[in-house]
Amino acid sequence: MIATPCYLPDSRDETVTEKVGTMRHIYLDYNASTPIDRAVADAMKPFLEDQFGNPSSGHWAAALAKTAVETARAQVAALLGCQDDEVVFTSGGSEANNLALKGVYFAHREKGNHIITTHIEHPSIVEPCRFLERLGRRITFLPVDGTGRIDPDDLLNAITPRTILISVMHANNEVGTIEPVEECARIAREHGVLFHTDAAQSIGKIPTDVNQLGIDLLSIAGHKVYGPKGIGALYIRRGLDIEQLVHGGGQERGRRAGTESALLATGLGKACELACDLGSMDRVRALRDHFWQAMREQFGDRVVLNGHPVHRLPNTLHVSFIGWSGSEILERLEGVAATTGSACHSGHIELSPVLKAMGSAPEIGMGAVRFSLGRWTTREEIQLVIERLSKTICRVGKAAKSKECHKHPS
Ligand SMILES: Cc1ncc(COP(=O)(O)O)c(C=O)c1O
């Protein structure tokens, strides 16, 4: 049964669910992508209909598009606490991360050849680092502890006179652990090293003021914050030199060529405006904690929490059902959209790189499931998931006992 998500909730009292037959579909994968807020869709509408002008043109047809792009830039800047001209639109979080890493490297390679990052970054950080490694650069991947947090002392010890950039994610997409970014940025500043953070998962969930964090570059993605897919932004501190990845016209003050999309920029801008109000996160946090409490009551020590117990995104609940397979639970948890943290290949358990970096034991990692809640998750939905989990775990528990997947990878 496949969910057909066609939801544009008007307000917080509507739930992001679908009813198909008698099975109600429940969306608990907000870290993967969020639905577009109705207010965002409404703001974008004119640019889907009759406002088609190229924002760079000098005539009447461009006027509204040009204003819309600049309004959107100001809305993003307001969320990040920066100046409008410090925001560069990109095609999403991946491009923003690529622009930060490669852009800094190509502009500053005379100064050094060393970049520091962590073992738990999103692939859009890890892969550009691997690319730069192939070009002969040196990359240090910092370890994390069992909760997914890096130790700022490790960062301090990794810095060399040749270090040009440090990139530490603000919050991890899988387990939700929030990294000590402020402290890391301070260390970077004291050593004259540029500091970037990937805030794709943290915007709209926790404060992301670039001056409070003390950082030089920060990436965001529209579809993680109730905006559209295909747009993101990179904050670049004023005066910081960065090489562009996409060469062409002089758009984005010469930092990213290509005709700007007033449609997508407006969507991101409106989403950022809404995200300035973190008030709804108190409700989400309470619901997430209630979910965890209910799981503990239901399953006792057979369920454990992954990620940091305190320094964690308010919407994320990453758990392991001990002795069970996460993917099997999800397969059988009918109608519930969530994500597992492991895969079973020919009897071998493949943990996600994040769980591996956290030193998760295979018997714990294999039962990992990420539930990520959002603006429209309700208590009733959580109750339904708990009920379905209880039924599923009895069934899967019996089935899984006979499976090879219980064995350690050899
Ligand atoms: C932490 C993090 N960074 C970057 C990205 C990539 O963003 P996009 O999908 O907009 O390229 C994601 C998306 O999953 C993410 O979770």
Side-chain angles (χ1 to χ4, degrees), residues 31-32 91-95 97 121-122 124-125 169 171-173 198-201 219-224 229-232 370:
N31 284 10
S91 64
S94 296
E95 188 189 325
N97 284 341
E121 300 293 320
H122 187 265
S124 56
I125 291 288
M169 73 195 320
N172 181 261
N173 43 303
D198 176 357
Q201 289 292 343
S219 306
I220 65 169
H223 72 105
K224 308 286 188 189
K229 293 171 183 57
I231 185 147
R370 179 189 71 187

Side-chain angles (χ1 to χ4, degrees), residues 97-223:
N97 284 341
N98 271 263
L99 180 56
L101 291 168
K102 296 176 194 165
V104 165
Y105 162 66
F106 283 110
H108 297 261
R109 64 188 148 166
E110 304 308 324
K111 292 191 197 135
N113 67 346
H114 181 221
I115 292 174
I116 302 172
T117 186
T118 81
H119 269 302
I120 54 154
E121 300 293 320
H122 187 265
S124 56
I125 291 288
V126 175
E127 292 309 319
C129 283
R130 295 282 181 221
F131 166 75
L132 293 172
E133 232 170 12
R134 290 197 294 278
L135 295 187
R137 304 312 112 187
R138 210 163 72 71
I139 312 288
T140 300
F141 290 91
L142 298 175
V144 294
D145 65 16
T147 70
R149 246 164 101 89
I150 63 161
D151 181 344
D153 282 344
D154 288 340
L155 172 63
L156 190 62
N157 294 332
I159 295 174
T160 77
R162 299 284 286 156
T163 308
I164 51 173
L165 177 67
I166 296 165
S167 181
V168 174
M169 73 195 320
H170 195 193
N172 181 261
N173 43 303
E174 273 183 57
V175 293
T177 296
I178 300 167
E179 298 300 326
V181 160
E182 239 175 292
E183 201 177 339
C184 293
R186 183 180 51 73
I187 292 170
R189 215 166 36 252
E190 285 169 3
H191 289 78
V193 179
L194 295 173
F195 190 88
H196 166 256
T197 193
D198 176 357
Q201 289 292 343
S202 56
I203 57 159
K205 294 175 188 155
I206 55 174
T208 46
D209 184 294
V210 293
N211 292 309
Q212 256 167 32
L213 293 173
I215 55 179
D216 302 298
L217 301 122
L218 176 145
S219 306
I220 65 169
H223 72 105

Side-chain angles (χ1 to χ4, degrees), residues 64-357:
L64 206 89
K66 191 182 178 66
T67 309
V69 169
E70 292 320 312
T71 301
R73 201 184 303 283
Q75 287 165 319
V76 175
L79 177 63
L80 302 181
C82 65
Q83 304 300 317
D84 300 3
D85 63 2
E86 294 177 310
V87 173
V88 174
F89 289 120
T90 64
S91 64
S94 296
E95 188 189 325
N97 284 341
N98 271 263
L99 180 56
L101 291 168
K102 296 176 194 165
V104 165
Y105 162 66
F106 283 110
H108 297 261
R109 64 188 148 166
E110 304 308 324
K111 292 191 197 135
N113 67 346
H114 181 221
I115 292 174
I116 302 172
T117 186
T118 81
H119 269 302
I120 54 154
E121 300 293 320
H122 187 265
S124 56
I125 291 288
V126 175
E127 292 309 319
C129 283
R130 295 282 181 221
F131 166 75
L132 293 172
E133 232 170 12
R134 290 197 294 278
L135 295 187
R137 304 312 112 187
R138 210 163 72 71
I139 312 288
T140 300
F141 290 91
L142 298 175
V144 294
D145 65 16
T147 70
R149 246 164 101 89
I150 63 161
D151 181 344
D153 282 344
D154 288 340
L155 172 63
L156 190 62
N157 294 332
I159 295 174
T160 77
R162 299 284 286 156
T163 308
I164 51 173
L165 177 67
I166 296 165
S167 181
V168 174
M169 73 195 320
H170 195 193
N172 181 261
N173 43 303
E174 273 183 57
V175 293
T177 296
I178 300 167
E179 298 300 326
V181 160
E182 239 175 292
E183 201 177 339
C184 293
R186 183 180 51 73
I187 292 170
R189 215 166 36 252
E190 285 169 3
H191 289 78
V193 179
L194 295 173
F195 190 88
H196 166 256
T197 193
D198 176 357
Q201 289 292 343
S202 56
I203 57 159
K205 294 175 188 155
I206 55 174
T208 46
D209 184 294
V210 293
N211 292 309
Q212 256 167 32
L213 293 173
I215 55 179
D216 302 298
L217 301 122
L218 176 145
S219 306
I220 65 169
H223 72 105
K224 308 286 188 189
V225 67
Y226 306 89
K229 293 171 183 57
I231 185 147
L234 180 66
Y235 154 75
I236 306 173
R237 189 173 286 284
R238 208 181 255 178
L240 199 162
D241 196 17
I242 193 161
E243 181 60 64
Q244 64 196 98
L245 294 187
V246 185
H247 296 87
Q251 292 94 345
E252 298 297 288
R253 294 182 175 81
R255 289 177 295 189
R256 197 236 188 198
T259 301
E260 287 132 331
S261 167
L263 171 75
L264 296 175
T266 296
L268 179 64
K270 188 67 191 177
C272 286
E273 185 189 88
L274 298 176
C276 287
D277 177 9
L278 291 178
S280 66
M281 276 300 129
D282 292 340
R283 191 192 67 84
V284 171
R285 184 194 300 276
L287 205 49
R288 191 267 319 259
D289 291 345
H290 161 73
F291 192 9
W292 172 234
Q293 196 57 39
M295 267 190 209
R296 289 287 288 173
E297 278 165 22
Q298 194 74 35
F299 309 117
D301 290 342
R302 292 173 301 157
V303 62
V304 294
L305 182 71
N306 297 314
H308 200 282
V310 178
H311 299 295
R312 190 157 45 100
L313 289 174
N315 76 318
T316 306
L317 184 58
H318 193 286
V319 295
S320 282
F321 297 95
I322 299 186
W324 287 292
S325 144
S327 50
E328 240 185 313
I329 287 176
L330 285 181
E331 256 171 46
R332 296 173 191 223
L333 201 59
E334 267 182 282
V336 178
T339 300
T340 180
S342 63
C344 181
H345 300 295
S346 325
H348 292 269
I349 307 146
E350 188 64 48
L351 299 193
S352 75
V354 173
L355 291 179
K356 259 189 222 162

